[in-house]
Amino acid sequence: MNIKVLYFARIKEAVNYSTENVELPKDVLTVIALKNWLSLRGEVWANLFNGKQVVRAAINHVLVDDMAAIQAGDEVAFFPPVTGG
Amino acid sequence: MNIKVLYFARIKEAVNYSTENVELPKDVLTVIALKNWLSLRGEVWANLFNGKQVVRAAINHVLVDDMAAIQAGDEVAFFPPVTGG
Amino acid sequence: MTVRIQTEDFDLGHELTSMRLAEHAKNKSTKKESIGALVSFIGQVRDMNDGNAINTLTLEHYPEMTQKALAAIESEASARWDIIDSLIIHRVGTLNPLDQIVLVAVSSAHRGEAFSACEFIMDYLKTSAPFWKKEATNQGERWIEAKQSDDVAKARWQNKVKN
Amino acid sequence: MTVRIQTEDFDLGHELTSMRLAEHAKNKSTKKESIGALVSFIGQVRDMNDGNAINTLTLEHYPEMTQKALAAIESEASARWDIIDSLIIHRVGTLNPLDQIVLVAVSSAHRGEAFSACEFIMDYLKTSAPFWKKEATNQGERWIEAKQSDDVAKARWQNKVKN
């Protein structure tokens, strides 16, 4: 399925772009599976998702945990813990 | 001893004046003794200090309870519970 | 720490903005942390109370005691929390519906201290500062009764340790 | 309930005064209680942080999510407490020291509700709204780290029943 992935703040700087459309293999159905799949892309991605820093996720603008299911057409965002206010 | 007594709000309206200087008998040495002594003045005073409503006291601008000691030259104020803010 | 008792109205934006920016110069020399948070409370005359339209609200006070009582509350707040500055403006005299009555503002480096100190000052002001309110409605005048809930609000702080 | 995300500054006095007076007309027809209390929080860019002078602070956000996240926080506050109105203004883009960052204001009939709701909104905003701060100092740029204390502040509310 096809989804849109967004990156923000320190994570956007690490991957060096803010948005991409990706075609996922059939077995990538959750946020954690997506993290795993992205981490196979190379060092930048492996470093991002190696668990040393918290990477939060939102699906369609709602905060979710890594067990959340992804559906075709979803907008999935990755970002560091928020620091507004 | 001579002290100054002040009245505020609903209590000022009941006694119909705001300030007086009084010469206390020797045995009137506390706020409660002062309330007792004032209550002997007549119905208005007896009604004021009959215990049906809370009458707070301050000595020299500091809130006190009825056991507080009075000294010559003190400014003693009587008023209802406060309602500012 | 500032206390002002006055009959005239106050300019909310001016007061808060001054406070927000005022400690700047002082900070550079004497304080380690600069203002990051400003919490304020504004109390105003209600237009309705207990089902009656309010015509006016008159505030009486005990001038010699008021200033002292409010300064003592500010000192206590400043001893309990790590705040940078505090301001209390309280009006007296006869006010109209929707007039401002009171402003309490507290600045601090971080928000938790300012929230706690501001609410503390209001809770103590409500129960310890010598002000009395009299409402005028079409049914006549009446002194406002003190609320049990204000004593409860104050009592909460007496069991709390400094945080 | 209003949420505004903007690059431009806001006029604090104007915002608070509008809010203080705005519900007046609405009240007469639909609300039993009129506004007696207005609690507000203003957050500003510190001039110093961790011993370094701040040159600028840049706020990034996730536009499609921000509005939704803040509106959800306001709804939750309004479900928990008996408040009359709430306002969140949050700036984004590059700000200077002492610039206003955020205003949260809550009006209610009585002060306790407004204090709680305003602090609740700030605690949730700090931990749930998609904003990220980057500081520029003479030592370079750095992303601000999320604070453990903000998670603790939020967690307090999760054990509380509606009061």
Side-chain angles (χ1 to χ4, degrees):
Chain A
M1 63 183 166
N2 194 276
I3 63 165
K4 189 176 173 185
V5 184
L6 276 64
Y7 307 93
F8 291 94
R10 156 192 341 262
I11 292 173
K12 177 178 70 183
E13 291 183 351
V15 305
N16 213 21
Y17 51 88
S18 62
T19 311
E20 62 178 324
N21 284 290
V22 294
E23 183 63 35
L24 297 182
K26 279 207 180 89
D27 58 345
V28 178
L29 296 166
T30 60
V31 171
I32 194 169
L34 175 60
K35 283 183 169 182
N36 174 51
W37 183 76
L38 289 169
S39 71
L40 301 174
R41 284 175 163 183
E43 199 181 342
V44 164
W45 301 89
N47 287 343
L48 197 56
F49 295 120
N50 66 5
K52 288 193 182 165
Q53 54 189 347
V54 175
V55 177
R56 296 222 195 285
I59 298 180
N60 301 329
H61 318 128
V62 176
L63 270 178
V64 295
D65 68 31
D66 285 3
M67 299 304 115
I70 299 173
Q71 297 187 306
D74 276 353
E75 177 173 309
V76 179
F78 291 113
F79 44 78
V82 302
T83 56
Chain B
M1 63 184 167
N2 194 275
I3 63 163
K4 190 175 173 186
V5 185
L6 275 64
Y7 307 94
F8 290 95
R10 147 187 356 255
I11 292 173
K12 178 177 69 181
E13 291 182 351
V15 305
N16 212 22
Y17 52 86
S18 61
T19 311
E20 60 178 326
N21 284 290
V22 294
E23 183 62 35
L24 297 182
K26 280 206 181 92
D27 59 341
V28 178
L29 296 166
T30 60
V31 171
I32 194 168
L34 175 60
K35 283 182 170 181
N36 174 52
W37 183 75
L38 289 169
S39 71
L40 302 173
R41 284 177 162 182
E43 200 181 339
V44 165
W45 301 89
N47 287 340
L48 197 57
F49 295 121
N50 66 6
K52 288 193 182 164
Q53 53 188 346
V54 174
V55 177
R56 295 222 196 283
I59 298 180
N60 301 331
H61 319 126
V62 175
L63 269 179
V64 295
D65 69 30
D66 285 4
M67 299 304 114
I70 299 173
Q71 298 187 304
D74 276 354
E75 177 173 310
V76 179
F78 290 115
F79 44 77
V82 301
T83 56
Chain C
M1 298 194 296
T2 306
V3 172
R4 277 163 37 204
I5 316 294
Q6 59 190 48
T7 52
E8 63 270 25
D9 198 9
F10 52 86
D11 179 335
L12 188 53
H14 173 75
E15 297 297 342
L16 294 179
T17 302
S18 300
M19 191 162 173
R20 191 167 80 65
L21 302 177
E23 291 297 298
H24 187 41
K26 213 183 287 180
N27 267 344
K28 298 218 159 168
S29 53
T30 65
K31 301 249 188 189
K32 269 196 295 193
E33 290 186 297
S34 53
I35 295 178
L38 177 64
V39 172
S40 71
F41 172 87
I42 298 122
Q44 68 179 8
V45 182
R46 285 194 200 86
D47 49 355
M48 298 285 290
N49 198 14
D50 292 340
N52 292 315
I54 307 304
N55 296 332
T56 62
L57 181 75
T58 300
L59 278 133
E60 183 178 331
H61 77 130
Y62 179 3
E64 295 81 1
M65 180 172 169
T66 317
Q67 185 82 23
K68 205 184 281 191
L70 294 177
I73 296 169
E74 281 189 331
S75 291
E76 177 66 23
S78 159
R80 287 193 183 211
W81 292 282
D82 187 16
I83 64 179
I84 293 173
D85 200 8
S86 62
L87 167 70
I88 302 174
I89 302 177
H90 203 298
R91 294 176 71 193
V92 292
T94 297
L95 307 178
N96 295 309
L98 304 187
D99 277 357
Q100 302 181 114
I101 304 170
V102 59
L103 170 64
V104 173
V106 177
S107 60
S108 63
H110 303 288
R111 74 187 181 286
E113 312 277 325
F115 269 112
S116 295
C118 188
E119 191 167 13
F120 171 90
I121 290 172
M122 274 309 301
D123 287 346
Y124 272 65
L125 185 158
K126 282 270 181 185
T127 49
S128 308
F131 295 100
W132 301 276
K133 284 182 185 147
K134 191 182 209 174
E135 241 173 33
T137 71
N138 290 340
Q139 282 68 49
E141 297 195 328
R142 58 180 178 189
W143 288 99
I144 303 270
E145 295 293 329
K147 289 190 295 184
Q148 182 71 32
S149 60
D150 285 329
D151 291 326
V152 173
K154 181 185 181 184
R156 290 182 306 157
W157 301 103
Q158 289 158 353
N159 303 319
K160 279 192 190 170
V161 292
K162 185 179 184 307
N163 71 351
Chain D
M1 298 196 298
T2 306
V3 171
R4 278 162 37 203
I5 316 295
Q6 60 190 50
T7 52
E8 64 270 26
D9 198 8
F10 50 87
D11 179 337
L12 187 53
H14 173 76
E15 296 298 342
L16 294 181
T17 302
S18 300
M19 192 161 172
R20 192 167 79 65
L21 302 176
E23 291 297 299
H24 187 43
K26 213 184 282 180
N27 268 344
K28 297 217 160 168
S29 54
T30 63
K31 300 248 187 189
K32 270 197 292 193
E33 290 187 297
S34 53
I35 295 178
L38 177 63
V39 172
S40 71
F41 173 88
I42 299 124
Q44 69 179 9
V45 182
R46 286 195 200 87
D47 49 356
M48 297 285 290
N49 199 14
D50 292 341
N52 292 317
I54 306 304
N55 295 331
T56 62
L57 182 75
T58 300
L59 278 132
E60 181 177 332
H61 76 130
Y62 180 2
E64 297 80 1
M65 181 172 169
T66 317
Q67 185 82 24
K68 205 183 280 191
L70 294 177
I73 295 169
E74 280 189 329
S75 292
E76 177 66 21
S78 158
R80 288 191 183 213
W81 293 282
D82 186 16
I83 63 178
I84 293 173
D85 200 8
S86 62
L87 168 69
I88 301 174
I89 303 178
H90 203 299
R91 295 176 69 192
V92 292
T94 297
L95 307 179
N96 295 308
L98 304 188
D99 277 358
Q100 302 181 114
I101 303 170
V102 58
L103 170 66
V104 172
V106 177
S107 59
S108 63
H110 303 288
R111 73 186 182 286
E113 312 277 325
F115 269 112
S116 295
C118 188
E119 191 167 12
F120 172 91
I121 290 172
M122 274 309 301
D123 286 346
Y124 273 65
L125 184 158
K126 282 269 180 184
T127 48
S128 307
F131 295 99
W132 302 275
K133 284 183 186 146
K134 190 181 210 175
E135 242 172 31
T137 70
N138 290 341
Q139 282 68 49
E141 296 195 330
R142 58 180 178 191
W143 289 99
I144 304 268
E145 294 294 328
K147 288 190 296 182
Q148 181 71 30
S149 60
D150 286 329
D151 291 325
V152 173
K154 181 183 180 185
R156 290 182 306 156
W157 301 102
Q158 289 159 352
N159 302 319
K160 280 192 189 171
V161 292
K162 184 179 183 311
N163 68 356

